[in-house]
Amino acid sequence: MLAAPLVTGGLRTLRHPEAAAEAAGPVVRAVGKRLPVLAGDPLALVRVSGAIQATAGLLFATGRAPRLAALTLAATLVPTSLATHAFWKVEDPEERARQRAHFLTDLSALGGLLIASADTHGKPSLAYRSRHALDHRHPVRALRRPVEAAAARTAHRAKAVTAPLTGSR
């Protein structure tokens, strides 16, 4: 359900990018000053953003690479919200309230996407799995090491206990 508005918005932007490109113009110029790679045609950037939102939304909705898809959607949602719901620039109080509501809705979706991007569905994280990769590839070795260490400790203790009884050192 979280992906549905992003998929439909991405598809709408792909079909009719003109309105979104007009709204995105100031954001594209501001970002282009700091990142020259992103300074380009607002119409093309809006189409790319729409395609990314539609694709990542479908991936997220179907459960394919959900963490990556959620993070991608979050990354595209920020500039989209700043461009289309800039309520701080609107003079009319009613329109300002409407744009603020849309902006806050996008902000709550951003929070949900960030939570989804960190959710592992009960599985260990990538960091945990990489730390324990050797143990998972060789489960026999993973068990053998502590067992061998325990056996060596037990043998050492047994020798220490029996040494006075047998007279050996």
Side-chain angles (χ1 to χ4, degrees):
M1 292 183 69
L2 183 59
L6 295 163
V7 171
T8 57
L11 291 175
R12 186 178 344 106
T13 301
L14 273 174
R15 280 187 261 148
H16 308 290
E18 296 80 21
E22 185 180 322
V27 174
V28 170
R29 283 189 293 279
V31 171
K33 288 178 184 175
R34 296 178 196 272
L35 300 170
V37 172
L38 295 177
D41 179 27
L43 192 65
L45 290 174
V46 164
R47 279 191 178 131
V48 169
S49 178
I52 289 171
Q53 281 187 347
T55 305
L58 288 172
L59 287 172
F60 184 67
T62 58
R64 305 265 191 235
R67 294 173 71 190
L68 179 62
L71 193 60
T72 302
L73 288 169
T76 61
L77 188 61
V78 171
T80 301
S81 297
L82 290 174
T84 57
H85 304 302
F87 66 90
W88 52 90
K89 295 180 181 178
V90 178
E91 298 296 325
D92 181 33
E94 289 180 18
E95 182 62 23
R96 178 184 283 245
R98 191 171 16 264
Q99 290 300 327
R100 185 182 314 117
H102 289 302
F103 184 81
L104 292 174
T105 302
D106 284 355
L107 189 62
S108 64
L110 176 66
L113 289 167
L114 290 175
I115 290 171
S117 70
D119 184 23
T120 61
H121 300 287
K123 297 177 187 171
S125 70
L126 184 61
Y128 176 87
R129 287 185 287 174
S130 65
R131 283 194 306 266
H132 296 88
L134 179 63
D135 293 344
H136 292 292
R137 278 188 279 153
H138 304 289
V140 174
R141 286 187 206 161
L143 289 175
R144 189 182 320 158
R145 281 187 224 122
V147 170
E148 286 174 349
R153 283 192 305 272
T154 304
H156 180 70
R157 286 188 198 132
K159 284 182 184 177
V161 168
T162 60
L165 299 175
T166 59
S168 63
R169 291 194 177 231

